[in-house]
Amino acid sequence: MPSRRARIKDIAELAGVSIGTVDRVLHDRGEVAEKTRDNILQIVKDLEYSPNVIARALKSRKKFRFVSLLPEPTDDSAFWIKHPEGIMKAMNELEPFPIAFSQVTFDLLDEKDFQKKSEKVFDLDPDGVILAPIFKTQATAFCNKLTKNGIPFVFIDGYLEDTDFLSYTGEDIFQSGRVAGQLVDMVTPADKDILIINIARNLMNVHHLNKRMQGFMSYFPHSGRNKGDLISMNIEDPVPLAITAELKRVLRINPGIGAIFVTGSKSYKIADCLESEGINSVNLIGYDLLDRNVYHLKSGRIRFLIGQRPDEQTYKGVRKLFDYLSMDKVPDKMEYLPVDVVTSENVQFFI
Amino acid sequence: MPSRRARIKDIAELAGVSIGTVDRVLHDRGEVAEKTRDNILQIVKDLEYSPNVIARALKSRKKFRFVSLLPEPTDDSAFWIKHPEGIMKAMNELEPFPIAFSQVTFDLLDEKDFQKKSEKVFDLDPDGVILAPIFKTQATAFCNKLTKNGIPFVFIDGYLEDTDFLSYTGEDIFQSGRVAGQLVDMVTPADKDILIINIARNLMNVHHLNKRMQGFMSYFPHSGRNKGDLISMNIEDPVPLAITAELKRVLRINPGIGAIFVTGSKSYKIADCLESEGINSVNLIGYDLLDRNVYHLKSGRIRFLIGQRPDEQTYKGVRKLFDYLSMDKVPDKMEYLPVDVVTSENVQFFI
DNA sequence: CTGAAAGCGCTTACAG
DNA sequence: CTGAAAGCGCTTACAG
């Protein structure tokens, strides 16, 4: 091990060439005699040379251009407001480096818009892309195009196995369902029934929600104490009146329900109904720390929320792109973030 | 807002002086006419100048020397093995910058050793110190000496209010006790009694444990459903035989105990005893993801562990020192990390 | 195919 | 009290 970090200059001296030549070899810019090249490469290896990122960043006016392609946060998809925060945090930390960031958003309910916006991403001529692959078909096409153009990309929120992504940062969806199952099992009397509610206006998110539901249900046969029934229902039109009617109907038919698991981030809609109906006896558990969920968590209407660290997903995604581009650091392909168990007593630390 | 970041050179030109003079003003090295100085300072403000950290790091062979002063992890204080990991992670990220790190450890059971090692810290001529102020008197003296020498320091694990620390990163101890209280309350039948166990060979850590206990107990009067008794006991000599005897005695006297809360990280010792005695009916809850705790968590003997992110405490502590020294970034004085609720189903993400 | 030079923005001696 | 110069390790454009 060299006592001091090797520099290009050291390599050049050992090889008996100029630093320009060494640089050409290091950057594969060709125009170097094969013999010289091999010799230099050997020395590089011997010296365990790695470039000084600081010097590189200082010099190269080469500005990395990053682009994010994420859903537009709206009143009805408030989950996505946290993601930009992680991006800002990463940008802040990387502020001394020459980086530009563009955020492109698309309509969560509109595949066509995704496609249109993904074209816009290309127009921005990115060096790296971070995206949530909500629409499988369109996202796959987009990712393949990125790969063809040699542009690295990272996934958050979900991933597409058949694409050449650099890394995924997010939830282990199935396992997070299991955690929900365990929590419900712990706080609900063993003879009570459990209601699983999916709220999905369209089929797009079904993969996500289905997988959580599978994880949830997988907990009970072997690990759970609960002996009641698992009942599942779908709400397509999440309008308060419709939800209330449907919920009342199901609860009337199944008077033994002791817990409700909402597979997505809209548990507050269920809590709203329970509140207006004056139903206090069920354990409600849902996902994500939206303001409206947190409100019900604090009031006791929701017992647990499961958090998936949306801001950490984007933060890490950006860092991985940067580390990869500026230092050739290849990240782990899959990084599952912790499944956070949030109650009224520890929620303050998560928001 | 300037379209481009101002450089020293820009300031020099506007002030009609050389960059050397600007630098002298910026670094308060004196030897500058007051008029020149004021003028330059004004321009600095107007231009919102901030130094380019990269250029600074590249140039200055000034190596920051950081020193940590933490307890030596031992078989009986395994909690402290995670802390060095956070330090290594920070060092890794800061690798391109010229930094040296020395880790000094002391005997968790020996105040004299703390004092001796704190002197060693001074010998290392640190630019910044990160420490766990285990022994109040000795740590206060040490911190005051640091302040007197103009050496910034950050706390982890605990803090001393009367010292001039740069930042604290760690648990909100009282609140974490409340979280434990809520969890116990959720999973234990309302008519059962609750046993609180402190394991403390000496009085040193009592502050820590007491505060958690207070938080725990504070939950029940207003927020809890539990109607049973809160019983507390102390174990001074945590030898298996002694624990078992004592535990059996208490459980015999109080047959209604449905949950046990261990205020420190040694819940595995209680779990060991319950296991050997074949007692399965109580909900055990404790702190920290030590291997031996996790073993019992997975086997179901421990129901919840509360995590306090030891590695994140040190990681953030080091980053704060660095950001402060290299960019004058003053961190928030108090940073409470999330109180993690860990079960057998999500523990995999925390270890 | 290769070398010499300029420059990124800062800091550090040194000369006056 | 102030300026001019060298240099940190790299990249880039140019000359040969």
Side-chain angles (χ1 to χ4, degrees), chain B residues 16 31 50 79 85 100 109 122-123 126 128 135 139 142 144 147 158 160-161 179 184-185 284 325 344:
Chain B
E31 306 192 18
S50 69
F79 173 56
E85 284 178 26
L109 302 173
F122 265 100
D123 294 343
F135 305 115
F142 175 55
N144 289 341
T147 301
L160 301 170
E161 268 172 351
V179 173
V184 164
D185 192 57
L284 183 56
L325 287 169
S344 58

Side-chain angles (χ1 to χ4, degrees), chain B residues 39 97 160 184 216 219 250:
Chain B
N39 186 27
F97 297 89
L160 301 170
V184 164
F216 183 85
Y219 182 77
V250 172

Side-chain angles (χ1 to χ4, degrees), chain A residues 16-288:
Chain A
V17 297
S18 78
I19 59 168
T21 304
V22 175
D23 191 67
R24 249 163 260 132
V25 172
L26 288 175
H27 290 81
D28 239 340
R29 280 209 275 280
E31 304 193 20
V32 179
E34 193 163 342
K35 245 173 119 176
T36 321
R37 191 186 141 79
D38 292 346
N39 185 27
I40 289 175
L41 248 25
Q42 186 56 49
I43 295 173
V44 164
K45 206 178 275 177
D46 292 346
L47 262 46
E48 298 181 6
Y49 172 79
S50 69
N52 182 321
V53 210
I54 294 177
R56 176 178 289 178
L58 179 60
K59 174 54 193 166
S60 78
R61 288 291 82 199
K62 159 72 177 159
K63 212 171 185 164
F64 288 127
R65 238 181 278 282
F66 295 137
V67 179
S68 66
L69 181 60
L70 301 174
E72 173 80 25
T74 65
D75 204 45
D76 208 54
S77 55
F79 172 56
W80 293 95
I81 47 174
K82 278 288 174 185
H83 294 78
E85 285 179 25
I87 292 177
M88 296 322 287
K89 188 185 169 207
M91 292 307 294
N92 238 7
E93 274 186 25
L94 298 175
E95 176 254 272
F97 296 89
I99 298 176
F101 209 105
S102 312
Q103 304 195 36
V104 176
T105 59
F106 60 90
D107 184 338
L108 190 52
L109 302 174
D110 184 355
E111 322 193 351
K112 289 268 189 304
D113 192 50
F114 179 92
Q115 193 169 7
K116 206 172 72 188
K117 296 303 176 52
S118 71
E119 275 158 30
K120 198 172 156 194
V121 171
F122 264 100
D123 294 343
L124 290 165
D125 188 22
D127 298 296
V129 172
I130 175 169
L131 80 155
I134 304 287
F135 305 115
K136 188 167 176 178
T137 314
Q138 289 79 358
T140 301
F142 175 54
C143 291
N144 289 340
K145 199 169 157 197
L146 286 171
T147 300
K148 203 173 294 166
N149 285 271
I151 302 168
F153 60 95
V154 297
F155 286 132
I156 60 145
D157 193 62
Y159 59 96
L160 301 171
E161 268 172 351
D162 296 334
T163 64
D164 192 24
F165 60 103
L166 180 65
S167 177
Y168 165 69
T169 312
E171 196 183 44
D172 180 339
I173 304 173
F174 182 88
Q175 189 61 32
S176 112
R178 276 189 67 90
V179 173
Q182 184 184 35
L183 293 172
V184 164
D185 192 56
M186 280 182 180
V187 299
T188 309
D191 58 333
K192 290 286 188 181
D193 299 327
I194 297 166
L195 175 63
I196 304 168
I197 300 182
N198 289 296
I199 301 178
R201 203 187 292 259
N202 44 53
L203 291 171
M204 293 163 192
N205 293 320
V206 161
H207 170 72
H208 224 191
L209 304 186
N210 271 334
K211 202 149 184 189
R212 275 189 191 150
M213 186 160 64
Q214 285 165 22
F216 183 84
M217 295 193 298
S218 80
Y219 182 76
F220 293 94
H222 299 298
S223 313
R225 308 168 306 134
N226 189 280
K227 302 279 179 269
D229 292 337
L230 288 178
I231 304 151
S232 76
M233 66 183 271
N234 247 290
I235 296 176
E236 303 217 341
D237 183 21
V239 173
L241 277 178
I243 298 181
T244 304
E246 184 63 8
L247 204 56
K248 277 169 77 171
R249 194 181 62 77
V250 173
L251 290 177
R252 191 154 13 98
I253 302 175
N254 307 278
I257 286 176
I260 299 177
F261 172 53
V262 183
T263 57
S265 62
K266 299 204 175 78
S267 52
Y268 64 88
K269 296 208 173 192
I270 306 300
D272 285 343
C273 291
L274 293 178
E275 187 173 22
S276 67
E277 292 299 308
I279 301 172
N280 291 305
S281 50
V282 295
N283 293 314
L284 182 57
I285 175 168
Y287 274 85
D288 301 324

Side-chain angles (χ1 to χ4, degrees), chain B residues 30-291:
Chain B
E31 306 192 18
V32 179
E34 192 162 344
K35 244 173 119 174
T36 321
R37 189 186 142 80
D38 292 346
N39 186 27
I40 289 175
L41 249 26
Q42 186 56 50
I43 295 173
V44 164
K45 204 178 278 177
D46 291 348
L47 261 46
E48 299 181 7
Y49 171 79
S50 69
N52 181 321
V53 210
I54 294 177
R56 177 179 287 179
L58 179 61
K59 173 56 195 162
S60 80
R61 289 289 83 199
K62 160 73 178 158
K63 210 170 185 167
F64 288 128
R65 238 181 278 283
F66 295 137
V67 179
S68 67
L69 181 60
L70 302 173
E72 172 79 24
T74 65
D75 204 46
D76 208 54
S77 55
F79 173 56
W80 294 95
I81 48 174
K82 278 286 174 187
H83 295 77
E85 284 178 26
I87 292 178
M88 296 320 289
K89 187 185 171 206
M91 292 307 295
N92 237 8
E93 274 187 25
L94 299 174
E95 176 255 273
F97 297 89
I99 298 176
F101 209 106
S102 313
Q103 305 196 35
V104 176
T105 60
F106 59 88
D107 184 339
L108 190 54
L109 302 173
D110 184 354
E111 323 191 348
K112 291 268 190 304
D113 192 50
F114 179 92
Q115 193 168 5
K116 207 172 73 189
K117 296 303 176 51
S118 71
E119 275 157 31
K120 198 172 152 192
V121 171
F122 265 100
D123 294 343
L124 290 165
D125 189 23
D127 297 296
V129 172
I130 175 169
L131 79 156
I134 305 285
F135 305 115
K136 187 167 178 179
T137 315
Q138 289 79 358
T140 303
F142 175 55
C143 291
N144 289 341
K145 201 172 157 195
L146 287 171
T147 301
K148 203 172 295 165
N149 284 270
I151 302 168
F153 60 95
V154 297
F155 286 133
I156 60 144
D157 191 62
Y159 59 96
L160 301 170
E161 268 172 351
D162 296 335
T163 63
D164 192 23
F165 60 102
L166 180 66
S167 177
Y168 165 68
T169 313
E171 196 183 43
D172 180 339
I173 303 174
F174 182 88
Q175 190 61 32
S176 109
R178 275 189 68 90
V179 173
Q182 184 184 35
L183 294 172
V184 164
D185 192 57
M186 281 183 179
V187 298
T188 308
D191 57 335
K192 289 288 185 179
D193 301 326
I194 296 165
L195 176 62
I196 303 168
I197 299 182
N198 288 295
I199 300 178
R201 203 188 291 261
N202 44 52
L203 292 170
M204 293 161 191
N205 293 320
V206 162
H207 170 71
H208 224 188
L209 303 187
N210 271 332
K211 202 150 185 188
R212 274 190 192 150
M213 186 162 63
Q214 284 166 26
F216 183 85
M217 295 193 297
S218 81
Y219 182 77
F220 294 93
H222 299 298
S223 313
R225 309 167 307 135
N226 188 280
K227 300 280 179 268
D229 293 335
L230 288 178
I231 304 152
S232 76
M233 67 183 270
N234 248 289
I235 294 176
E236 304 217 339
D237 183 22
V239 173
L241 277 178
I243 298 180
T244 303
E246 185 63 8
L247 204 57
K248 279 170 76 171
R249 195 181 63 76
V250 172
L251 290 177
R252 191 154 13 100
I253 301 174
N254 307 278
I257 287 176
I260 298 178
F261 171 52
V262 183
T263 56
S265 62
K266 299 204 173 77
S267 52
Y268 64 87
K269 297 206 173 196
I270 305 301
D272 286 343
C273 290
L274 294 178
E275 187 173 22
S276 67
E277 292 299 309
I279 301 171
N280 291 304
S281 50
V282 296
N283 293 314
L284 183 56
I285 176 169
Y287 275 85
D288 301 322
L289 304 175
L290 315 190
D291 289 346

